[in-house]
Amino acid sequence: FPVTIHTTRIYGFTDGKGNRKGPMNIVQIDLPNEHGHVIFLTNQGKQGVMDSLGNILIPCRFNMLKYIGSHRYEAVLENGHGIVDENGRFLYVSTFSQVGQYSEGLIFVQKDKDLIAYVDLQGNEKFMLKANWGLEFQDGFAAVFKNEKWGYIDTNGKVMIDIASFIVTGK
């Protein structure tokens, strides 16, 4: 008879003195972010966040977590999608398909194919634009894309270089 052996490795942490730190049912650990925090996956298929000492910052209740900067994470539950802080508290809940990285206190979210928003660190939509895509802010400006053309906005959503002024040409 053929025998199948499943060998899933389970990981955990101790404080170096044999005392448990954090969960002991970890199957995957991501690389640490700039604060030394890691996203980890349990054998129940849920993700959470812990610090470098094994202290749980965000409990293992999310189907997906992605670090997006400024101590914030994109988070997915069965019934919700949003941005959470480093304690797992939802700051922004909305229907969106893409999210960027926080830069200069704002993050781009794609609400649908023709509408984007920029959300502040508290989870408030600072402004929305009729556009297809947006990039992170750098030196107070972000590039936005609409109908095959690029333009630039400032951190208040004011158009600095009009999208309509761009002409796409090709050979």
Side-chain angles (χ1 to χ4, degrees), residues 73-133:
Y73 296 82
E74 177 185 8
V76 176
L77 290 167
E78 286 83 12
N79 58 352
H81 185 200
I83 297 171
V84 299
D85 66 14
E86 65 182 355
N87 298 311
R89 183 175 58 95
F90 273 96
L91 301 173
Y92 178 75
V93 178
S94 182
T95 302
F96 60 91
S97 58
Q98 297 288 328
V99 64
Q101 293 282 318
Y102 269 102
S103 61
E104 299 185 25
L106 294 170
I107 190 168
F108 148 80
V109 294
Q110 183 180 27
K111 296 182 75 65
D112 66 34
K113 68 181 185 76
D114 295 317
L115 185 64
I116 66 172
Y118 280 86
V119 177
D120 67 17
L121 290 169
Q122 291 73 40
N124 304 309
E125 281 184 5
K126 190 161 180 187
F127 54 87
M128 287 193 292
L129 298 167
K130 289 186 178 185
N132 309 113
W133 193 256

Side-chain angles (χ1 to χ4, degrees), residues 19-123:
N19 300 314
R20 286 177 46 172
K21 294 292 285 183
M24 294 300 189
N25 58 347
I26 298 171
V27 295
Q28 178 182 333
I29 300 172
D30 291 349
L31 292 173
N33 62 30
E34 70 265 22
H35 308 290
H37 303 159
V38 295
I39 297 172
F40 63 95
L41 175 69
T42 66
N43 61 353
Q44 288 88 27
K46 300 294 182 181
Q47 290 188 309
V49 176
M50 69 179 141
D51 66 15
S52 60
L53 300 174
N55 299 311
I56 301 297
L57 302 175
I58 298 178
C60 311
R61 63 184 179 116
F62 296 99
N63 296 344
M64 188 279 300
L65 283 171
K66 179 180 99 174
Y67 185 67
I68 53 178
S70 296
H71 299 280
R72 307 292 189 269
Y73 296 82
E74 177 185 8
V76 176
L77 290 167
E78 286 83 12
N79 58 352
H81 185 200
I83 297 171
V84 299
D85 66 14
E86 65 182 355
N87 298 311
R89 183 175 58 95
F90 273 96
L91 301 173
Y92 178 75
V93 178
S94 182
T95 302
F96 60 91
S97 58
Q98 297 288 328
V99 64
Q101 293 282 318
Y102 269 102
S103 61
E104 299 185 25
L106 294 170
I107 190 168
F108 148 80
V109 294
Q110 183 180 27
K111 296 182 75 65
D112 66 34
K113 68 181 185 76
D114 295 317
L115 185 64
I116 66 172
Y118 280 86
V119 177
D120 67 17
L121 290 169
Q122 291 73 40

